[in-house]
Amino acid sequence: MDKPMRFIAAVSSNITAFGYSVESKELVVQFENGGRYSYAEVPPEIVTCVMFAESQGKAFDALIKKGGYKFEKLDD
């Protein structure tokens, strides 16, 4: 049984929070506009890079969005 995903507030004008499961390598991103997306098979070291980046939004865009990870929009 997977543990419940914990969310951490983002420091970004576009992203409000990140949730990550080490077990499933699923990254969930909550955006300022209310949309939530799940990204599959994201390695923990990539998530760490995004979380500790000077600009989390730019790091997310470069490493996750442009990184080719499969994603899906989650229901609101």
Side-chain angles (χ1 to χ4, degrees), residues 1 6 8 10-11 13 17 24 29 33 41-42 48 50 56-57 59-60 66-67 69-70 73-74 76:
M1 184 162 131
R6 294 182 62 188
I8 298 170
V11 182
S13 60
S24 66
V29 181
N33 66 8
E41 296 300 317
V42 181
T48 300
V50 172
Q56 290 179 335
F60 168 78
K66 294 179 181 169
Y69 295 100
K70 291 184 181 182
K73 186 173 188 330
L74 301 174
D76 296 333

Side-chain angles (χ1 to χ4, degrees), residues 1 3 5 9 11 14 16 24 26-29 33 37 40 42 47 51 56-57 60 65 74-75:
M1 184 162 131
K3 299 176 190 173
M5 189 175 289
V11 182
N14 189 35
T16 58
S24 66
E26 176 190 18
L27 174 67
V28 176
V29 181
N33 66 8
Y37 289 82
V42 181
V47 175
M51 295 302 299
Q56 290 179 335
F60 168 78
K65 265 182 97 173
L74 301 174
D75 293 333

Side-chain angles (χ1 to χ4, degrees), residues 16-27:
T16 58
F18 294 101
Y20 185 67
S21 168
V22 175
E23 291 85 12
S24 66
K25 295 184 180 177
E26 176 190 18
L27 174 67

Side-chain angles (χ1 to χ4, degrees), residues 30-52:
Q30 173 77 43
F31 290 93
E32 189 66 41
N33 66 8
R36 287 187 330 140
Y37 289 82
S38 171
Y39 295 83
E41 296 300 317
V42 181
E45 57 271 15
I46 297 294
V47 175
T48 300
C49 287
V50 172
M51 295 302 299
F52 289 98

